[in-house]
Amino acid sequence: MALAEHSTDFGLGGWYLIPPAIMLMAANLLNWQALSRRWCMLAYNWTSFAFFMLSAAGLSGLAVTILKHIFGRARPNVDDMGVFSFHPFAFSASFASFPSGHATMVGSAAGMLLLLAPRWVKYVLVAFTVWIAVTRVVVGMHYPSDTIAGFGLGIGCTVIVALVFARLGFIFQQMRVGLPVCRDTFRLRFTANPRIPVKRDAS
C-alpha cells in the first residue's frame, strides 16, 4: 500500500507536460546557425521528441478531461455510491472516476515507449507504467475499468499523434500496414557511425 501511494504520483500530468515544454523553450533559445551539422541534427531530434511528447500527453489529457465530465462516474471512495453510479456533467472531482487521468497519462507514456524505446528496455518501462496505473485501484481512487480505459485511451492518443507526425515527416515514417516506425535519422544521442539519409528517386 505504501509503495502504491509513493508510485501513484508518477501518473500526474506534470511529469509528461513540463519537461517537453522546458525542452521546447530551450530549443527556442539555441543559436542554430552556430551549431555543427551533427549537433544541429541532435538538437532537431530532441526538439521533435519534445514536441511529440507534449502533443501526445496534451491530447491524452484533453481527451480524458472531456470524457470524465461526460460520464461523471462516482469514485469508489464516495459514500453510498456504487460502481454503476454515473452523474454526467457533474463537474466535481468526486464524479470524475472514468477514465482515470493518471492511467491515461502513463498509458500515453507507454505508447511513446513502445514506439520509440529500444527493444531491450521498453518492456521493463512499460511494465512500470502498468504498475502506476494499477496503483490508482490500490489507493482506492478508481475502479479497475477506469484504469484499463484510461491506459488504453493514452496509448490510442499517442498512436494518433504518431500517425500525424509520420504523415508530416517528423520522427516517424508511414507504413502501409501497422504502426509508424522511427526514421533512420532519428537519434537522441551520437552514434559511432551515424546514418546519413539517402535521397531516393521519387519515381
Side-chain angles (χ1 to χ4, degrees):
M1 185 68 174
L3 178 61
E5 290 178 348
H6 284 89
S7 302
T8 195
D9 285 343
F10 285 105
L12 292 172
W15 290 100
Y16 311 98
L17 294 170
I18 295 176
I22 292 175
M23 284 191 284
L24 288 175
M25 287 188 290
N28 191 53
L29 298 175
L30 280 178
N31 182 1
W32 290 80
Q33 293 182 341
L35 297 177
S36 67
R37 183 176 180 181
R38 290 189 71 195
W39 277 104
C40 189
M41 192 65 187
L42 185 66
Y44 172 79
N45 283 337
W46 273 101
T47 303
S48 299
F49 171 69
F51 187 38
F52 173 62
M53 185 176 179
L54 189 64
S55 300
L59 179 61
S60 299
L62 177 62
V64 74
T65 300
I66 292 173
L67 291 175
K68 277 178 176 289
H69 293 312
I70 290 176
F71 287 103
R73 189 183 200 181
R75 292 184 184 275
N77 59 1
V78 178
D79 294 335
D80 301 323
M81 297 289 181
V83 65
F84 297 110
S85 180
F86 292 89
H87 299 266
F89 304 105
F91 296 102
S92 169
S94 297
F95 299 96
S97 187
F98 183 88
S100 165
H102 285 62
T104 301
M105 286 293 102
V106 295
S108 177
M112 288 183 253
L113 290 168
L114 290 171
L115 290 169
L116 297 174
R119 182 177 300 178
W120 60 272
V121 73
K122 71 170 64 175
Y123 298 113
V124 174
L125 295 177
V126 168
F128 180 66
T129 64
V130 172
W131 160 246
I132 297 172
V134 170
T135 63
R136 302 306 292 163
V137 179
V138 176
V139 299
M141 294 302 294
H142 288 282
Y143 296 104
S145 55
D146 300 333
T147 60
I148 293 171
F151 200 82
L153 176 64
I155 292 178
C157 288
T158 299
V159 170
I160 290 173
V161 173
L163 290 170
V164 173
F165 271 50
R167 189 172 183 83
L168 296 175
F170 293 126
I171 300 180
F172 304 100
Q173 57 184 353
Q174 286 183 294
M175 306 297 290
R176 292 187 177 181
V177 293
L179 298 175
V181 298
C182 286
R183 291 181 171 274
D184 291 340
T185 53
F186 181 75
R187 294 288 185 275
L188 296 179
R189 61 184 178 84
F190 288 132
T191 57
N193 296 303
R195 298 183 181 181
I196 306 299
V198 178
K199 187 174 180 180
R200 294 181 174 86
D201 189 349
S203 62

